[in-house]
């Protein structure tokens, strides 16, 4: 992975300290087998990356092993959520890359000012290894949310998460969200209802 942005924290000298951008850190975490241990962490440096005080370009580095490695020890935190009641999609955003295959919808509760509902399952998730996880809500869950009038407006759309809703790439579970989080982006249901079937009894 080639770094895109970041910040230099060190002063002029023989040691350079770089602060990875959130985007670069998350992209690295999303690549399984890269920088998840000392044995999978190597550095390549292009000659245009840095110069000395006389303006001489650094000698190219082809694949240097790390002298020190610290693993990720932070649990992921949810930073926001979007709800699309028209498309039936709930999108969770975390502060780092998480693994969608570890997602546990039964630990997710949506609520309004008068009711709450805990999800039972999901249809599909977009964003396998990503800080942003978009999950399709089942027909059962969507109909229950509508029956309880949860998600009829942005003001009636809040979220609770229990511990370990999802895990990051080193299998640390996410932190609970409580009290409830307000929705970041909301899209109302505008689909007209459609008759699927009907029954008639003439036995009277």
């Amino acid at each position: 992975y080639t770094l895109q942005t970041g910040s230099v924290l060190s002063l002029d000298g023989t040691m350079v300290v770089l602060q990875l951008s959130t985007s670069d850190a998350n992209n690295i975490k999303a690549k399984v087998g890269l920088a998840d241990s000392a044995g999978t962490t190597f550095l390549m440096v292009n000659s245009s990356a840095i110069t000395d005080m006389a303006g001489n370009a650094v000698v190219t580095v082809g694949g240097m092993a790390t002298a020190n490695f610290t693993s990720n020890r932070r649990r992921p935190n949810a930073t926001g959520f979007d709800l699309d009641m028209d498309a039936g999609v709930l999108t969770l955003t975390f502060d780092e890359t998480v693994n969608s295959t570890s997602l546990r919808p039964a630990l997710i509760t949506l609520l309004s000012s008068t009711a709450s509902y805990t999800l039972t399952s999901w249809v599909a998730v977009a964003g396998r290894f990503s800080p942003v996880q978009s999950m399709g809500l089942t027909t059962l869950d969507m109909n229950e949310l509508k029956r309880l009038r949860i998600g009829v407006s942005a003001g009636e759309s809040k979220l609770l998460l229990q511990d370990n809703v999802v895990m990051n790439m080193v299998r640390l579970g996410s932190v609970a969200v409580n009290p409830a989080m307000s929705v970041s982006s909301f899209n109302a249901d505008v689909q007209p209802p459609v008759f699927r079937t009907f029954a008639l009894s003439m036995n009277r």
Side-chain angles (χ1 to χ4, degrees):
Y1 179 82
T2 301
L3 299 182
Q4 304 300 309
T5 57
S7 303
V8 179
L9 303 183
S10 54
L11 301 175
D12 293 340
T14 58
M15 179 179 293
V16 178
V17 180
L18 298 178
Q19 174 71 59
L20 299 180
S21 67
T22 299
S23 175
D24 280 343
N26 283 330
N27 286 334
I28 292 170
K29 291 174 183 178
K31 292 185 176 295
V32 178
L34 176 64
D36 52 17
S37 69
T40 60
T41 306
F42 297 87
L43 181 71
M44 297 178 66
V45 179
N46 188 286
S47 61
S48 62
I50 192 170
T51 63
D52 65 14
M53 302 305 292
N56 299 308
V58 69
V59 176
T60 299
V61 176
M64 180 183 294
T66 182
N68 186 32
F69 178 83
T70 302
S71 62
N72 181 13
R73 300 169 185 167
R74 294 179 61 255
R75 298 173 64 191
N77 287 269
T79 59
F81 84 99
D82 302 336
L83 182 61
D84 188 335
M85 290 298 289
D86 197 45
V89 175
L90 172 66
T91 301
L92 306 177
T93 301
F94 295 88
D95 62 355
E96 66 167 305
T97 298
V98 294
N99 185 346
S100 67
T101 61
S102 66
L103 192 62
R104 303 168 68 187
L107 302 181
I108 300 172
T109 300
L110 291 167
L111 59 157
S112 67
S113 57
T114 58
S116 64
Y117 181 75
T118 299
L119 301 181
T120 62
S121 185
W122 45 265
V123 177
V125 176
R128 175 76 185 279
F129 303 137
S130 171
V132 181
Q133 300 291 327
S134 295
M135 53 187 296
L137 301 177
T138 65
T139 300
L140 170 65
D141 285 345
M142 282 293 291
N143 284 335
E144 280 300 295
L145 290 170
K146 293 172 183 179
R147 183 182 68 82
L148 294 169
R149 296 190 58 77
I150 299 170
V152 295
S153 67
E156 295 295 323
S157 305
K158 294 184 182 298
L159 178 81
L160 288 173
L161 298 179
Q162 296 184 44
D163 271 327
N164 305 318
V165 162
V166 71
M167 292 184 179
N168 65 12
M169 301 304 289
V170 292
R171 300 187 63 78
L172 294 175
S174 58
V175 177
V177 171
N178 193 351
M181 175 187 292
S182 297
V183 69
S184 301
S185 176
F186 174 79
N187 193 29
D189 174 22
V190 296
Q191 295 295 325
V194 177
F195 275 107
R196 297 297 186 192
T197 186
F198 79 98
L200 173 65
S201 175
M202 298 296 291
N203 183 27
R204 58 174 299 173

